Amino acid sequence: MNNDFDKGSGDQSAEDTLNRLLSHAGERQKAPTALKARVRQQVYSAWKQQQQSKDERRPAASTTAAPATRNWGWLLAAASLMVGIGLIFSITVLKDASETPVATVTKVLGNAWYISGRENTPDGNALDEEDWQPLTVGRALPAHSRLRTLGEGGVALALGETSVRVDERTDVVLSSGETLALTRGQLYMDTGTHASAHKPALTVITAHGRTRDIGTQFLVHALPDSLAVAVREGSVDIHRVDTTIHTRAGERVSVSETGTVTRELVSTDALAWNWAIALAPSFEIENAKLKDFLVWVSRELGKPLIFASPLVQQECALTVLHGNIDNLSLYEALTTVLETTRFRLDTNSSDTITIVEG
């Protein structure tokens, strides 16, 4: 044992010795201060009581000072207890962090797989092929889970109030509930109809830049030599080491690995959004109002919603729906729902969703 453990005397010396024992145990994640202080006090009090008992058992007639002795086993046990508390706390924190769901699967198309955060290696590569598990609706995914889709595959996730949709041939890691690491393929994000100052921004990290949404519908495409961001609604910032590129609604911005930026226009109902539309989460139609359903369809399809008259709009707001539209495409759902009402879609306007009495 190191000679440092033989130095000093009295209460301060015991405290110093305990501190040195703890320091020799090495660095670990710290337990909460209050917990550590309470246990330290309990251990020290027990040790002090033992020393006092020893003093009381010494012969009263003895006038020769006995050599100062210390029960090093007690101190080592105390240090071990303190270290153990820190280790247990650390393990608990890590376990909770790895098992707490950050996303839930809401829709699966074709071949889609995942490795949970506990089975994923630090560099994001699977240990074995058998580690991959098929994704199913309702599956809760912890932080650091890795998702992979094959040809004609796709997945929709709920990250709190945010809808994240994963295109075919895409590889992505759920770093947290607000951060995604995209290594290849496409992601579509819908953070809601209104941006909120209290709602964390969604960040997508790629090899050629980091995107951060300002709201609310956008697409990120990671390619081997570039990054493309298309904004359907709201705006997105692309952060690179030397610059920030602002992308507005109706724009598609591509950034090459050398930093070259190109911009082009993209409409809200362009074909580029179709794969994301196919992964739209289902609308809970039972007891919903027709107008709310139409607003949802309009937003998902990227087409303006128009009512033939104020009266039609008012009637749609009062009409209550029943049933479900599971396994229907958006256009099929729109047609099916309207057939149960006295309204219909005006087919003369393909650029809008125009509702008329029918």
Side-chain angles (χ1 to χ4, degrees), residues 311-334:
L311 181 60
V312 169
Q313 180 175 354
Q314 182 179 3
E315 289 295 325
C316 286
L318 297 174
T319 300
V320 178
L321 303 175
H322 299 284
N324 72 77
I325 53 173
D326 295 344
N327 303 318
L328 296 179
S329 70
L330 261 69
Y331 278 111
E332 289 172 340
L334 178 60

Side-chain angles (χ1 to χ4, degrees), residues 107-167:
K107 196 168 189 175
V108 179
L109 297 177
N111 290 314
W113 306 81
Y114 82 103
I115 299 177
S116 80
R118 288 170 293 174
E119 299 163 352
N120 207 7
T121 57
D123 61 0
N125 294 314
L127 294 173
D128 298 293
E129 287 187 9
E130 50 265 31
D131 287 333
W132 292 97
Q133 301 294 324
L135 280 167
T136 55
V137 173
R139 167 68 64 183
L141 300 172
H144 307 299
S145 294
R146 181 177 180 181
L147 280 62
R148 174 174 291 174
T149 55
L150 306 181
E152 299 184 357
V155 180
L157 308 172
L159 274 71
E161 298 178 2
T162 298
S163 173
V164 175
R165 304 169 203 180
V166 184
D167 194 13

Side-chain angles (χ1 to χ4, degrees), residues 30-346:
K30 295 180 179 179
T33 302
L35 173 61
K36 188 166 67 175
R38 186 167 65 251
V39 174
R40 179 189 290 272
Q41 182 59 42
Q42 290 173 353
V43 170
Y44 179 73
S45 296
W47 176 84
K48 185 67 175 175
Q49 183 177 1
Q50 187 194 54
Q51 299 308 304
Q52 290 173 349
S53 296
K54 285 185 176 181
D55 291 341
E56 292 173 358
R57 291 197 298 270
R58 287 175 184 165
S62 176
T63 57
T64 303
T69 60
R70 304 205 182 279
N71 189 333
W72 296 113
W74 250 99
L75 290 176
L76 285 170
S80 299
L81 179 60
M82 294 296 291
V83 170
I85 289 170
L87 182 60
I88 291 170
F89 177 73
S90 176
I91 291 173
T92 301
V93 169
L94 292 175
K95 181 179 179 182
D96 289 345
S98 65
E99 294 184 355
T100 301
V102 298
T104 303
V105 178
T106 58
K107 196 168 189 175
V108 179
L109 297 177
N111 290 314
W113 306 81
Y114 82 103
I115 299 177
S116 80
R118 288 170 293 174
E119 299 163 352
N120 207 7
T121 57
D123 61 0
N125 294 314
L127 294 173
D128 298 293
E129 287 187 9
E130 50 265 31
D131 287 333
W132 292 97
Q133 301 294 324
L135 280 167
T136 55
V137 173
R139 167 68 64 183
L141 300 172
H144 307 299
S145 294
R146 181 177 180 181
L147 280 62
R148 174 174 291 174
T149 55
L150 306 181
E152 299 184 357
V155 180
L157 308 172
L159 274 71
E161 298 178 2
T162 298
S163 173
V164 175
R165 304 169 203 180
V166 184
D167 194 13
E168 64 175 356
R169 298 183 176 88
T170 295
D171 210 327
V172 61
V173 175
L174 308 179
S175 301
S176 70
E178 294 87 37
T179 304
L180 308 175
L182 178 64
T183 54
R184 66 167 184 153
Q186 295 190 99
L187 296 178
Y188 175 87
M189 276 68 60
D190 185 346
T191 60
T193 56
H194 300 288
S196 171
H198 305 291
K199 188 177 184 179
L202 186 64
T203 299
V204 179
I205 301 171
T206 74
H208 303 296
R210 174 171 54 90
T211 69
R212 187 177 176 85
D213 85 284
I214 306 173
T216 53
Q217 290 179 314
F218 64 103
L219 180 152
V220 179
H221 192 181
L223 297 164
D225 58 355
S226 65
L227 163 66
V229 176
V231 182
R232 204 177 191 191
E233 181 180 293
S235 61
V236 172
D237 283 338
I238 305 172
H239 299 278
R240 287 174 58 86
V241 175
D242 54 348
T243 187
T244 297
I245 304 160
H246 190 66
T247 311
R248 299 177 179 83
E251 281 188 323
R252 183 180 189 273
V253 173
S254 297
V255 185
S256 71
E257 56 187 348
T258 60
T260 302
V261 178
T262 59
R263 296 178 184 268
E264 59 182 314
L265 297 178
V266 59
S267 64
T268 57
D269 61 348
L271 295 178
W273 308 109
N274 281 359
W275 70 265
I277 293 172
L279 286 168
S282 183
F283 184 89
E284 294 293 334
I285 206 169
E286 182 66 26
N287 292 322
K289 299 297 179 61
L290 175 58
K291 182 182 177 182
D292 293 337
F293 168 74
L294 294 172
V295 169
W296 174 76
V297 171
S298 166
R299 194 164 184 275
E300 288 292 344
L301 293 177
K303 295 179 182 290
L305 174 61
I306 298 174
F307 296 98
S309 68
L311 181 60
V312 169
Q313 180 175 354
Q314 182 179 3
E315 289 295 325
C316 286
L318 297 174
T319 300
V320 178
L321 303 175
H322 299 284
N324 72 77
I325 53 173
D326 295 344
N327 303 318
L328 296 179
S329 70
L330 261 69
Y331 278 111
E332 289 172 340
L334 178 60
T335 301
T336 300
V337 168
L338 287 177
E339 285 176 351
T340 66
T341 71
R342 59 190 185 89
F343 305 101
R344 64 179 178 85
L345 182 66
D346 184 357

